[in-house]
Amino acid sequence: MTLGTTEHRKLGPSSRIMAGGGESSAGVERDEVGMACRVQEGLGQEGSLLVQALSRENLAAAWKRVKANGGSAGVDGLTVTETQEYLKTHWPCLKAEILDGTYQPQAVRRVEIPKPTGGKRELGIPTVTDRLIQQALLQVMQPLIDPTFSDSSHGFRPGRSAHDAVRKARDYVQEGYRVVVDVDLEKFFDRVNHDILMHRLSKHISDKSVLRLVRRFLQVGVAVDGVVLERTEGTPQGGPLSPILANVLLDEVDKELEKRGHRFVRYADDCNIYVRSQKAGERVLRGLRRIYARLRLRVNEAKTAVSTAYHRKFLGYCLRPWSGKVKIAVHPKSLDTFRLRIRDITGRSKGNSMEQVAQKLRNYMPGWKNYFQLAETPSTFGKLDSWVRHRLRALQLAHWKRGPTIYSRLRALGASHELAVMGAGAKQRWWRRSGTRAVHAVLSIAHFDKMGFPRLT
């Protein structure tokens, strides 16, 4: 208890460590970059890596990131705000348990989210406290491990993005490597072998207390409908450590590909290798199967293929030949996913007001636009915008319901008597009626802009 009281005096008055302050996200990133540099400079002088992870400065940066990410509660039911209050009094004891090696992470809560292509993806949500500890570990591990990764690895790494990976893929195809070995791993995050992963991690991290804690995070059970299931393999998606651990394991594949002089791009478990011929691609795929088997990972044969790069999807994008150049485009399946989501939001049987629909579109469309901004086919976005407005016109007419009401609404928005009669008197269904000249003239682009509806162009 003396330890707890002493630690509380150190941490309690400076509750900013747990509160996160009011700095901007840019400030958070600057703090973390500076902290990461000091980890490397002062590791030998100030103690073990675990002590570095639990330092006040590192915990402050970790809490800011956890708080900014938000997310739902874990199995303990505590939200981010509730965890903040809990840690003000319980953190000293938790820290002591972590340092003496007795800390046991809680089970992760399993949730399922729908995949854009159908089916569901399983996520494991740790408690907020465990997310904080994982984030603190990540911040001291990443500066030591990340510089050793391949330049062809782009997923979940500082200063790298999916856009970088797509651009690199485009460059390879432009150089003439137009056959791709598109490898898909079967349930990668569920199949990670703990012993193999920890062996690879130990080559980067010598602090055994950190390795022991990481293994415990790997081995915690999964809570499903109130029952905790044991886990002997896998690193559940949802925790801060999972991405870097995935990169540690798959870096072995990267190094083999580099050794053989291949041109490739990897983003998490999505790996594309670019070659000049079908025969070369099939040879590369045979070699990859052996490497993945060594790591006890399974290739999804149904989704893995050697094909022309123009026929494959990579991170939602595709490549298209155009006048001697290679252009980046949104893959048709990604367009289908967008339309499916818009149909759901603008469904005429949902009962949402136009204001509610506008808010949902503002939550979805800007993020989609930002991700697919690499596309070099601007007409695609114009066509999507036109289609979205068509749906909005149909929804607005359906809200107005009957002829006299539609007539009066159109007149109130400035339509002439003749145009209002045309819009109100049309006998077509809502979709066809919303495409008439009368409705277009009144429910214009400017009208929806004024109402706060977002646009892609």
Side-chain angles (χ1 to χ4, degrees), residues 392-411:
L392 292 176
R393 292 185 184 106
L395 180 62
Q396 182 66 89
L397 292 181
H399 281 182
W400 290 343
K401 295 296 184 185
R402 300 303 174 197
T405 304
I406 293 177
Y407 172 84
S408 61
R409 294 279 190 170
L410 293 176
R411 288 284 285 159

Side-chain angles (χ1 to χ4, degrees), residues 163 317 365-374:
H163 288 173
Y317 286 94
M365 286 178 59
W368 193 92
K369 174 184 177 180
N370 183 61
Y371 181 77
F372 286 105
Q373 63 181 296
L374 281 188

Side-chain angles (χ1 to χ4, degrees), residues 217-351:
F217 276 118
L218 288 172
Q219 293 176 332
V220 294
V222 179
V224 183
D225 297 328
V227 179
V228 177
L229 307 176
E230 292 185 4
R231 188 173 70 239
T232 58
E233 62 179 4
T235 170
Q237 299 180 71
L241 280 176
S242 291
I244 194 171
L245 295 179
N247 279 334
V248 166
L249 186 62
L250 292 174
D251 186 58
E252 184 166 329
V253 181
D254 298 343
K255 294 299 192 290
E256 287 283 348
L257 291 172
E258 287 180 337
K259 187 188 302 181
R260 300 175 189 184
H262 290 303
R263 291 158 177 78
F264 70 98
V265 181
R266 183 173 66 80
Y267 191 93
D269 57 324
D270 290 328
C271 187
N272 280 7
I273 305 93
Y274 296 89
V275 296
R276 291 188 182 274
S277 69
Q278 183 77 16
K279 185 176 180 180
E282 291 169 356
R283 184 173 62 250
V284 169
L285 182 55
R286 287 194 295 271
L288 280 172
R289 286 195 180 100
R290 289 192 293 270
I291 300 171
Y292 285 125
R294 192 165 69 218
L295 297 174
R296 299 187 189 177
L297 298 172
R298 300 180 188 174
V299 172
N300 187 332
E301 300 295 345
K303 296 183 179 180
T304 296
V306 178
S307 174
T308 171
Y310 299 129
H311 291 167
R312 303 299 293 180
K313 177 167 71 78
F314 183 52
L315 301 177
Y317 286 94
C318 63
L319 301 175
R320 294 284 184 260
W322 185 267
S323 300
K325 294 185 178 181
V326 178
K327 285 194 172 184
I328 299 172
V330 184
H331 193 276
K333 288 186 178 179
S334 299
L335 296 176
D336 290 343
T337 300
F338 175 84
R339 294 188 186 97
L340 187 64
R341 180 69 178 129
I342 297 299
R343 285 191 182 98
D344 179 64
I345 293 174
T346 61
R348 292 187 287 278
S349 61
K350 294 288 184 178

